[in-house]
Amino acid sequence: MVSSVLCRCGGAPGPDSAAAAAAPGGEGGGGDRGDRGDPCGGAVCGGPDHRLRLWLLFQKLDVNRDGGLCVNDLAVGLRRLGLHRTEGELRKIVKAGDKDLDGQLDFEEFVHYLQDHEKKLRLVFKSLDKKNDGCIDAQEIMQSLRDLGVKISEQQAEKILKSMDKNGTMTIDWNEWRDYHLLHPVENVPEIILYWKHSTIFDVGENLTVPDEFTVEERQTGMWWRHLVAGGAAGAVSRTCTAPLDRLKVLMQVHASRSNNMCIVGGFTQMIREGGARSLWRGNGINVLKIAPESAIKFMAYEQIKRLVGTDQETLRIHERLVAGSLAGAIAQSSIYPMEVLKTRMALRKTGQYSGMLDCAKKIMSKEGMAAFYKGYIPNMLGIIPYAGIDLAVYETLKNAWLQRYAVNSADPGVFVLLACGTMSSTCGQLASYPLALVRTRMQAQASIEGAPEVTMSSLFRQILRTEGAFGLYRGLAPNFMKVIPAVSISYVVYENLKITLGVQSR
């Protein structure tokens, strides 16, 4: 174990002077290896001769005896000490300490890396030590994770404790915490939680209102925009592949009624008969074009709102994420809402009605005025609240339930569990907000229906309930749900492949 190499204070007598002199920077090397009578003041072991302790650890890790630690040395050496790190984690360690950029750590670089890393670990330890008694117990772990929006049971917290607890006290002191995390690149608790939060990047063509969160490192290195580009491109591909189902949903929302009971097969047949197979993708062009501005505005608004509603934490609590996400979604939707109206009109157009998006926009402007581009705006904004609230609440509930029941010594549910949770939560959110989405679409489409009177949101609700019943508020729901699983699957495959192409580090 690393602790047996790093700290022999109070145990066997210290190494002889010949061994001490062999260490770079020791007495034979002209350096200062510390006063035997004083603690090291925070340099790894907390006891005398800490520099020699580091030299012994360095020797154990330097498996090829070339005076430097490369990724392979760390992998083999740590495995021999009973520690397992991924290749990505080891590369991160080498990159963080490699000052001369030769691809490996010499002894001085190794010492500086561990000392810098320990300072960060000490700050995290203090933030977890709520009682300020020098140790962390299960309740403090539960509270810290709860602050970050992750609820775990006491049994789960005790499992996490046991993985670090070496003396069986069911508490973690500073030495146990340091030894467990010393050669692990994670530097703060929010990073531990955040590394599996990237599920919300998937765009399946719905108004997902809680944007993704990124660590400080991802924002500084530019990884955040690579995630957004990969997510946007994946969304464009998935939307294009499921566009026929999306157009069918719009047609059923606007034209289906008790007298015109449009079914799925009949709807596809009608579209192909009227405009050929190509007509199945009407409205998809602008649907794809609006991904970039909507995602960018939502991300920027979310980051600004987080600073206003949040604390100094890296991540937000659930209710703070809901407020920030809903406001960011409302701002983004307000900015691109005319494109939503254009998408609906293009999806409903007859063959030859418009020559393209610009022609459609010009005709709407000349016949109906600027106000037409904001028809259905109110139900659209109102729909954000139940969608965001239910989507986020169900997602966090399902994810945390899985963690409590099945996760052992880990806060990582795995990508397929996250996708399943996201699909279920999105479905529940759509069920709650769908009547508002249907009313919004009908209001957007008013001028495209011959003889359609101007109606308000409330009168349209009453009319649908009077003529079609409560079922009328869910017209088009079947094709909407049919597209969720293929859209998520396609988005995931494209996203993962684009991440590799763009050089995004896998979580």
Side-chain angles (χ1 to χ4, degrees):
M1 297 300 294
V2 173
S3 55
S4 65
V5 178
L6 289 180
C7 185
R8 287 167 21 190
C9 305
D16 59 31
S17 58
E27 291 175 347
D32 178 17
R33 58 186 176 89
D35 187 340
R36 286 181 179 272
D38 296 327
C40 70
V44 185
C45 101
D49 288 280
H50 60 270
R51 190 173 180 86
L52 182 59
R53 303 285 94 76
L54 290 180
W55 174 245
L56 294 175
L57 176 58
F58 184 85
Q59 290 287 79
K60 283 183 176 291
L61 295 176
D62 185 15
V63 293
N64 59 8
R65 297 290 183 263
D66 64 350
L69 302 180
C70 62
V71 172
N72 185 62
D73 285 334
L74 287 174
V76 176
L78 288 174
R79 198 177 300 121
R80 289 176 180 173
L81 293 172
L83 297 174
H84 298 276
R85 300 286 182 257
T86 67
E87 184 177 349
E89 290 170 339
L90 296 176
R91 288 186 185 281
K92 194 172 180 181
I93 290 172
V94 172
K95 184 178 179 181
D98 185 15
K99 303 303 181 185
D100 57 9
L101 303 179
D102 62 352
Q104 61 181 4
L105 305 179
D106 60 28
F107 180 68
E108 290 301 325
E109 290 172 331
F110 181 66
V111 170
H112 289 150
Y113 169 77
L114 290 183
Q115 289 176 340
D116 289 343
H117 190 57
E118 187 194 346
K119 291 175 185 176
K120 296 170 184 174
L121 289 177
R122 189 177 287 278
L123 290 174
V124 178
F125 182 83
K126 288 182 178 179
S127 72
L128 289 172
D129 184 13
K130 307 289 185 184
K131 301 173 186 173
N132 201 28
D133 59 358
C135 60
I136 302 168
D137 58 26
Q139 293 298 321
E140 287 170 321
I141 288 178
M142 290 171 65
Q143 182 60 49
S144 297
L145 293 181
R146 193 178 297 118
D147 290 344
L148 295 171
V150 179
K151 295 180 181 178
I152 63 171
S153 65
E154 189 169 355
Q155 291 78 13
Q156 185 72 16
E158 287 173 356
K159 286 181 181 178
I160 296 173
L161 268 178
K162 286 178 182 177
S163 67
M164 293 180 262
D165 181 23
K166 300 297 184 293
N167 54 16
T169 60
M170 289 308 292
T171 60
I172 307 166
D173 61 24
W174 160 243
N175 290 331
E176 290 170 326
W177 170 265
R178 179 205 59 218
D179 292 344
Y180 186 83
H181 290 289
L182 190 60
L183 286 167
H184 194 290
V186 171
E187 296 172 356
N188 56 57
V189 174
E191 282 191 7
I192 297 170
I193 305 303
L194 266 179
Y195 85 101
W196 47 260
K197 276 192 177 287
H198 289 304
S199 62
T200 53
I201 200 73
F202 298 123
D203 174 16
V204 295
E206 303 300 329
N207 297 326
L208 298 180
T209 53
V210 182
D212 204 3
E213 292 182 45
F214 299 96
T215 63
V216 172
E217 181 195 20
E218 286 171 324
R219 289 196 290 269
Q220 290 174 344
T221 59
M223 280 296 166
W224 65 271
W225 70 259
R226 291 183 174 90
H227 276 286
L228 291 180
V229 169
V237 174
S238 68
R239 287 188 188 199
T240 301
C241 292
T242 58
L245 285 167
D246 197 53
R247 188 183 178 217
L248 177 62
K249 176 193 74 175
V250 173
L251 288 174
M252 292 176 74
Q253 285 179 330
V254 175
H255 295 303
S257 63
R258 281 177 176 170
S259 58
N260 180 25
N261 192 16
M262 185 184 296
C263 65
I264 292 173
V265 175
F268 278 126
T269 304
Q270 180 181 323
M271 284 190 287
I272 293 172
R273 188 184 300 122
E274 191 277 329
R278 189 177 177 183
S279 69
L280 297 175
W281 278 268
R282 282 180 186 167
N284 183 60
I286 196 157
N287 200 25
V288 169
L289 280 177
K290 70 185 179 72
I291 291 176
E294 184 177 14
S295 299
I297 294 168
K298 189 182 294 183
F299 174 74
M300 289 186 290
Y302 187 63
E303 289 298 309
Q304 293 302 315
I305 295 167
K306 268 173 51 172
R307 294 186 177 94
L308 298 176
V309 302
T311 61
D312 58 356
Q313 302 178 115
E314 181 69 23
T315 63
L316 300 179
R317 298 177 178 89
I318 291 180
H319 69 278
E320 292 170 340
R321 288 189 71 212
L322 174 59
V323 172
S326 297
L327 289 174
I331 292 169
Q333 279 284 293
S334 299
S335 304
I336 58 95
Y337 192 76
M339 298 178 78
E340 291 278 357
V341 176
L342 279 175
K343 173 216 163 187
T344 300
R345 295 291 183 90
M346 294 290 285
L348 293 170
R349 78 185 189 273
K350 303 290 184 184
T351 301
Q353 185 176 358
Y354 306 119
S355 61
M357 285 181 283
L358 289 177
D359 183 49
C360 178
K362 286 178 185 176
K363 288 181 177 177
I364 293 173
M365 188 69 177
S366 60
K367 290 182 180 179
E368 305 168 60
M370 189 65 190
F373 288 104
Y374 285 90
K375 284 183 176 177
Y377 177 79
I378 293 176
N380 185 69
M381 290 297 106
L382 291 176
I384 285 176
I385 299 169
Y387 185 96
I390 293 171
D391 185 20
L392 183 59
V394 172
Y395 177 78
E396 296 288 347
T397 301
L398 290 174
K399 179 189 66 188
N400 288 326
W402 191 94
L403 283 171
Q404 289 184 36
R405 187 172 183 127
Y406 299 107
V408 179
N409 301 333
S410 172
D412 181 11
V415 69
F416 292 109
V417 173
L418 293 175
L419 286 174
C421 292
T423 301
M424 288 293 292
S425 64
S426 178
T427 299
C428 293
Q430 288 179 55
L431 276 172
S433 62
Y434 194 83
L436 286 163
L438 181 136
V439 169
R440 174 203 66 191
T441 304
R442 288 202 180 183
M443 292 178 72
Q444 289 174 344
Q446 276 175 359
S448 66
I449 306 171
E450 292 296 329
E454 287 285 333
V455 291
T456 62
M457 180 182 73
S458 57
S459 63
L460 192 52
F461 264 116
R462 288 195 297 269
Q463 178 189 329
I464 293 171
L465 288 171
R466 185 178 64 254
T467 58
E468 304 176 51
F471 180 77
L473 294 171
Y474 288 90
R475 299 278 181 192
L477 189 64
N480 192 55
F481 281 169
M482 284 174 63
K483 73 174 189 174
V484 170
I485 293 177
V488 169
S489 303
I490 293 166
S491 187
Y492 170 67
V493 171
V494 176
Y495 178 64
E496 288 299 312
N497 281 281
L498 278 174
K499 280 205 309 180
I500 296 170
T501 303
L502 293 170
V504 176
Q505 296 171 353
S506 296
R507 291 286 178 176

